[in-house]
Amino acid sequence: MTRKTFLKTAGVGIAGAAAAGLAGCSSSTPSHGGSGWKQYSGMTLNFISENTGPSSAIAANLQPFVDLTGINVNISQLVLTSVEQKVALDLSAHSGQYQVIYADPYNIMAPLSDGFADLSTFMHDKTLPSVPKGTADFVPTQLLAAGRFGDKLLALPYDCPTIIWCYRKDLFEKYHDAMQHDLGFDPTPSIKTTWDQYLQMARWFNTNQDEVPYGTGHQAKQFTSLNDDFANVLWAYGGDYFHNGQHIGKYGSTDPGPCTLDQPEAIRAAEFYNEMLSVAHPGSVSWDWNDLAEAFGDGLIAMCPCWHEDAASWFAPGGLGDKIGFSPLPTGPARSANHYGGTGISINKYITTDEQRAAWLFLVWATAPQTQEAGLFSKVGGGTPTRQSVYQMPKVKRATKPPSDAPNMIPYDAVKVAWEPQNIGLRPKVPYWNQCDAVIFTELSKMLAGHKSPADAMRDAKRGVDDAVNGGSSGV
């Protein structure tokens, strides 16, 4: 059972203030700067979110916010594509159905950026509570990637899943000497390992042991997951989707210029990715991120690039638990690049001023250190904190070592390195990313099926992305 499946079966589909006081309720009330928490008592807010851990934890623990503000909150949790559709309809019609929005920076914020309020308005309003510990307490790269678009702050970082190297520590320890003898290098996973060495180890596992069927597996289904997986290699080889791509990943752009997937670095990345998938578990081309996490947890592969928050399911009772290790992804000719997939929460611009101010209260509370700590240890499964101060809490530090009451913390040593500016991988925040993404994963899928060479796939992807950018619509 994957983490998302667990959350789904936990029955937190639509929750409201009435859910407050259920399992996971914390007795703590976050301490926030400023005053004015009660000025919108009696109001009701609607929060639409992907069905992720942080929202499940908050839905199960709303009472502290209700007590603090007197505001009720209805939380709708849906799959991301449904959230995208509902938010697009709401913002396009200016109907104001949702006051608080889970604003995926690539699929929602970038295409609909005109529909979100600039949070600096509320941050500088002395009649409203301030962000406790300030915005500098957020992980810096996450504040930029999840929060910024142009010169505006449109969201506060809310969750932070990141692709890292997940591997069977028991097998790497058991076969360490044999692999080192056969391959000629230390096989212990680390950021110093190269992608070429990763490929050699995958081949070694395929032919030299029978405890797992294959060495590596991937989320290579013809879907967003395929492009997410490929991006790690693309960036590691020095390629990107656009010139100055990582800057666009931090600040966004409505005019990113021509696509660069036809450049030599991108083509070499595609050639390597195609070769790596040729030795991967054959199921990889039908697996999305949930399928990959299940396959790894079921012992079908020795290692994979996977979202770090899947650790919660692997360390659940009956899972592989202590047999698993984590590392930042291998290094390519340019660097190690670890795909960041986090999201922030935003305020709908097309609602009344009072609703926007009430929504600000929820944003401040939901992203506060004490709320994130409570969510991390929630019985319904919380997310990984986006606040640096939370990681300094003694209880949270203890949770990084198994047995842990918060298994999402066990990969922390790897993800904190992955979040460093030189190691994080950021997709471009452009208004047409949904169309670009579909073009790219379709071309990659044709490549993996043997219908196109890596070079042809990248050149055709470049043409398709340029068409999407030049002919796309900016949304609201």
Side-chain angles (χ1 to χ4, degrees), residues 41-359:
S41 180
M43 186 178 286
T44 296
L45 297 174
N46 295 317
F47 173 27
I48 185 168
S49 171
E50 186 183 8
N51 50 353
T52 61
S55 293
S56 296
I58 281 180
N61 191 25
L62 274 171
Q63 194 60 50
F65 180 71
V66 177
D67 293 342
L68 182 66
T69 64
I71 297 173
N72 296 317
V73 182
N74 296 317
I75 302 178
S76 299
Q77 288 188 262
L78 306 167
V79 296
L80 183 58
T81 52
S82 295
V83 176
E84 294 170 19
Q85 294 167 1
K86 288 182 176 295
V87 171
L89 288 172
D90 188 26
L91 297 186
S92 297
H94 299 193
S95 58
Q97 181 177 354
Y98 303 107
Q99 290 82 24
V100 181
I101 294 170
Y102 181 90
D104 181 284
Y106 316 99
N107 301 83
I108 295 176
M109 178 196 288
L112 303 169
S113 61
D114 289 346
F116 297 109
D118 186 351
L119 301 184
S120 61
T121 302
F122 312 105
M123 293 174 62
H124 298 143
D125 188 333
K126 295 186 182 303
T127 66
L128 289 170
S130 59
V131 175
K133 296 184 181 294
T135 55
D137 189 40
F138 290 104
V139 176
T141 49
Q142 296 179 17
L143 181 63
L144 292 172
R148 290 278 176 190
F149 196 84
D151 59 355
K152 297 179 180 177
L153 181 66
L154 300 183
L156 296 182
Y158 182 67
D159 61 23
C160 52
T162 302
I163 296 180
I164 57 173
W165 185 355
C166 308
Y167 63 92
R168 286 287 299 272
K169 183 172 64 176
D170 58 331
L171 300 183
F172 273 83
E173 290 175 351
K174 180 177 181 179
Y175 296 112
H176 176 277
D177 292 347
M179 293 173 69
Q180 185 164 20
H181 176 270
D182 294 346
L183 300 176
F185 58 84
D186 183 352
T188 305
S190 81
I191 197 171
K192 296 180 181 178
T193 306
T194 67
W195 272 110
D196 182 66
Q197 290 172 333
Y198 181 99
L199 174 60
Q200 292 183 55
M201 289 189 284
R203 286 192 170 114
W204 191 95
F205 275 110
N206 284 355
T207 57
N208 291 281
Q209 54 78 48
D210 56 8
E211 291 169 77
V212 290
Y214 284 86
T216 187
H218 297 263
Q219 51 182 45
K221 179 180 180 179
Q222 185 176 334
F223 177 58
T224 295
S225 58
L226 171 54
N227 193 21
D228 287 354
D229 191 49
F230 169 67
N232 297 304
V233 176
L234 173 68
W235 295 319
Y237 272 69
D240 214 320
Y241 299 97
F242 300 99
H243 289 295
N244 210 11
Q246 294 304 290
H247 180 85
I248 295 174
K250 294 175 182 174
Y251 299 98
S253 174
T254 58
D255 184 16
C259 176
T260 55
L261 286 176
D262 62 338
Q263 296 302 298
E265 295 85 355
I267 292 174
R268 283 196 290 273
E271 290 169 345
F272 174 81
Y273 188 75
N274 195 42
E275 183 178 4
M276 183 165 62
L277 265 290
S278 72
V279 306
H281 192 295
S284 296
V285 294
S286 63
W287 292 345
D288 64 11
W289 40 65
N290 286 336
D291 301 320
L292 175 63
E294 286 186 346
F296 183 63
D298 289 343
L300 298 184
I301 49 181
M303 58 183 179
C304 58
C306 200
W307 299 105
H308 84 276
E309 290 190 345
D310 286 307
S313 62
W314 302 328
F315 282 84
L320 292 172
D322 293 350
K323 295 180 180 178
I324 297 175
F326 303 96
S327 165
L329 287 173
T331 295
R335 66 181 179 118
S336 168
N338 302 263
H339 198 144
Y340 165 76
T343 289
I345 51 176
S346 298
I347 297 174
N348 188 334
K349 191 172 77 173
Y350 304 115
I351 57 178
T352 68
T353 299
D354 283 347
E355 286 179 320
Q356 289 186 28
R357 289 164 59 88

Side-chain angles (χ1 to χ4, degrees), residues 24-26 28 57 61 368-379 382:
C25 180
S26 169
S28 64
N61 191 25
Q370 291 90 342
T371 306
Q372 292 197 348
E373 179 195 17
L376 180 61
F377 292 95
S378 171
K379 298 298 183 185

Side-chain angles (χ1 to χ4, degrees), residues 379-449:
K379 298 298 183 185
V380 301
T384 311
T386 60
R387 295 292 207 125
Q388 298 180 90
S389 61
V390 177
Y391 295 102
Q392 302 307 313
M393 297 177 178
K395 181 180 180 182
V396 176
K397 286 185 175 180
R398 288 195 296 272
T400 61
K401 305 298 181 186
S404 173
D405 294 331
N408 279 345
M409 285 303 304
I410 296 175
Y412 177 62
D413 286 343
V415 293
K416 71 179 180 183
V417 176
W419 292 335
E420 293 175 359
Q422 71 275 18
N423 299 326
I424 199 166
L426 301 175
R427 278 170 281 172
K429 283 191 293 191
V430 296
Y432 328 101
W433 180 247
N434 289 332
Q435 298 95 313
C436 298
D437 185 37
V439 166
I440 297 163
F441 70 63
T442 299
E443 293 299 329
L444 287 169
S445 188
K446 291 176 182 176
M447 176 188 77
L448 296 180

